[in-house]
Amino acid sequence: MPTYARLPVSFERGTGAWLYDQDGNPYLDALTGIAVCGLGHAHEGVQKVVAKQAGTLLHTSNLYEIDLQTSLAARLCEISGMDNVFFCNSGAEANEAAIKIARMYGHKLGIDNPIILVMRGAFHGRTLATLTATANRKIQAGFEPLVPGFVRTEFGDMDAVRATTKNTKNIVAVLVEPIQGEAGIHQPPTGYLRALRDHCEAHNWLLMLDEVQTGNARTGRYFAFQHERGLLPDVLTTAKGLGNGVPIGACLAAGKAAGMLGAGAHGSTFGGNLLACAAAHAVLDAIESGDLEARATALGKRIRSGIESALLGSNRIKEIRGLGLMIGVELAAETKGVVPAALERGLLINCIGDRVVRLLPALTMNDEEADELVARLADTLKAL
Ligand SMILES: *Cc1c(COP(=O)(O)O)cnc(C)c1O
């Protein structure tokens, strides 16, 4: 079905930060399959483990113990400070699990119609519940009736949260991205997550962080919430970069939220199978051994300052936003034509909203590739 307006190019192979089309033309990939291939393409560690697993055992179902899943859960809990994990196959599914946890939590408090607070500008996925939680009308239009049980407030604004709290009964949880991705790479003010954490504590809500895009070392910490010292959410979702291209999602929970989904309460046939867990182990190995969190920070600074010195005086750019390798470049004019012009110059980027160029390059890029990315982007924008 034509659910995507695709660009007229098809890639045959990739290596590191580069993709090659059928004629062998190279493209520098500043998008990595939308924050998925954080280690770059055809990563040796992932490739070896996935090939070996395919020749050993791919799938058994969750009716049996899966040691690779248990050990992956332990590693993710160790990294995040969370207590347990539900594995699934995508970001939307991870958020569905979070939504179910919040509702179960509400019901256990004796609230029959629990409400989840969500944000303006939010993106949480395309299933019926997650598109309801998403703020974009284009994503919802035509799919009504939407799922009940959500109320929306301003992102990054504690006064708005307090006002909504006053006006709304039965809120049991808040679902929020630490940095809004699809809305145009928006960071809330410093201290926002901490204030939300305190507000949740005071009102007995669950703090649920959607780190589907910000997770897996992209912003310079394994999870973006870890930029705030000592802060812990109750529920945490991730997907995208966790398998470097092998589909896997995870919903992590801590404390009271960790006990909400018992046997039979939720499930997934594929979720956390041996192939997906093997790939995610290889991703964690590579992030650890390559110190890729620090690398994301350094590369992000290099790319942002490169763009600044190449373009900031040119009146083409309004603002450069982001953290680590999650970068938004807000243009002074509309982004129409930018993506095809970059493609012509062998650079893969995408645009969100009307004015923001989004960069989500590989954490394994070298400095020369980062500089090449900046040069090609500057060339593209100057030509328009
Ligand atoms: C991409 C994304 C999702 C949805 O993930 P899918 O794997 O496409 O279902 C959810 N939340 C955020 C923040 C995302 O960036």
Side-chain angles (χ1 to χ4, degrees):
M1 296 182 194
T3 53
Y4 282 87
R6 297 172 195 273
L7 289 161
V9 63
S10 168
F11 303 108
E12 209 168 60
R13 65 189 182 88
T15 170
W18 297 87
L19 283 173
Y20 299 86
D21 68 15
Q22 283 147 329
D23 301 321
N25 298 311
Y27 298 81
L28 187 53
D29 187 2
L31 194 59
T32 58
I34 319 180
V36 167
C37 302
L39 308 181
H41 300 287
H43 182 270
E44 204 185 327
V46 176
Q47 177 241 301
K48 274 194 182 141
V49 160
V50 165
K52 182 159 173 262
Q53 198 59 49
T56 308
L57 190 61
L58 288 177
H59 178 89
T60 58
S61 91
N62 285 299
L63 301 180
Y64 308 100
E65 295 292 339
I66 303 173
D67 288 350
L68 276 175
Q69 186 189 110
T70 308
S71 55
L72 178 63
R75 281 182 91 175
L76 288 172
C77 288
E78 169 75 29
I79 288 169
S80 63
M82 305 299 280
D83 294 335
N84 58 16
V85 188
F86 175 81
F87 287 104
C88 50
N89 316 286
S90 67
E93 279 175 87
N95 287 331
E96 286 278 346
I99 291 163
K100 286 180 76 170
I101 287 172
R103 285 189 166 191
M104 186 65 85
Y105 172 72
H107 282 270
K108 293 206 164 153
L109 291 176
I111 297 169
D112 291 337
N113 295 299
I115 305 284
I116 299 170
L117 182 63
V118 291
M119 301 295 161
R120 298 229 157 76
F123 182 81
H124 298 297
R126 301 284 200 149
T127 61
L128 282 170
T130 59
L131 76 79
T132 302
T134 292
N136 190 336
R137 259 314 283 168
K138 277 189 206 153
I139 284 172
Q140 299 173 338
F143 301 115
E144 298 84 357
L146 299 178
V147 175
F150 294 92
V151 65
R152 199 172 301 283
T153 192
E154 206 61 52
F155 176 66
D157 181 346
M158 281 312 296
D159 288 339
V161 170
R162 279 182 215 104
T164 310
T165 309
K166 254 191 200 157
N167 301 334
T168 318
K169 269 196 202 134
N170 297 337
I171 297 177
V172 297
V174 52
L175 175 63
V176 60
E177 299 155 84
I179 300 171
Q180 286 190 333
E182 303 302 309
I185 317 292
H186 291 289
Q187 250 181 293
T190 319
Y192 177 65
L193 285 187
R194 163 84 46 209
L196 262 186
R197 172 74 277 175
D198 292 345
H199 192 85
C200 286
E201 222 55 63
H203 292 84
N204 213 14
W205 301 354
L206 300 180
L207 175 61
M208 310 203 296
L209 298 182
D210 178 346
E211 295 234 24
V212 171
Q213 192 164 153
T214 51
N216 309 297
R218 178 149 295 279
T219 74
R221 293 275 194 280
Y222 193 88
F223 289 108
F225 79 82
Q226 294 173 318
H227 288 281
E228 292 250 9
R229 205 176 273 275
L231 186 137
L232 212 60
D234 300 294
V235 177
L236 171 67
T237 60
T238 194
K240 290 196 166 99
L242 183 56
N244 210 56
V246 177
I248 178 168
C251 176
L252 296 85
K256 55 194 176 210
M260 287 304 135
L261 300 181
H266 196 34
S268 167
T269 298
F270 288 129
N273 80 7
L274 289 110
L275 177 72
C277 291
H281 271 293
V283 169
L284 296 188
D285 289 344
I287 289 174
E288 274 167 32
S289 66
D291 199 7
L292 293 184
E293 287 139 304
R295 197 57 200 144
T297 300
L299 278 169
K301 279 187 184 145
R302 190 181 184 97
I303 291 172
R304 281 197 306 272
S305 70
I307 297 170
E308 245 169 64
S309 42
L311 284 165
L312 214 54
S314 72
N315 293 334
R316 284 183 171 80
I317 282 184
K318 228 180 119 193
E319 192 180 29
I320 304 171
R321 293 191 290 268
L323 199 58
L325 287 177
M326 187 168 175
I327 301 171
V329 182
E330 184 166 340
L331 306 184
E334 290 200 357
T335 51
K336 204 161 175 279
V338 171
V339 169
L343 188 69
E344 265 173 42
R345 288 164 179 80
L347 177 67
L348 305 176
I349 55 172
N350 96 321
C351 292
I352 38 185
D354 291 337
R355 286 172 188 253
V356 180
V357 172
R358 176 168 57 169
L359 306 172
L360 300 162
L363 285 55
T364 50
M365 237 180 202
N366 62 37
D367 288 351
E368 291 70 40
E369 288 166 335
D371 295 345
E372 185 63 27
L373 187 168
V374 171
R376 291 186 189 198
L377 181 65
D379 188 40
T380 302
L381 295 179
K382 281 176 182 167
L384 286 165

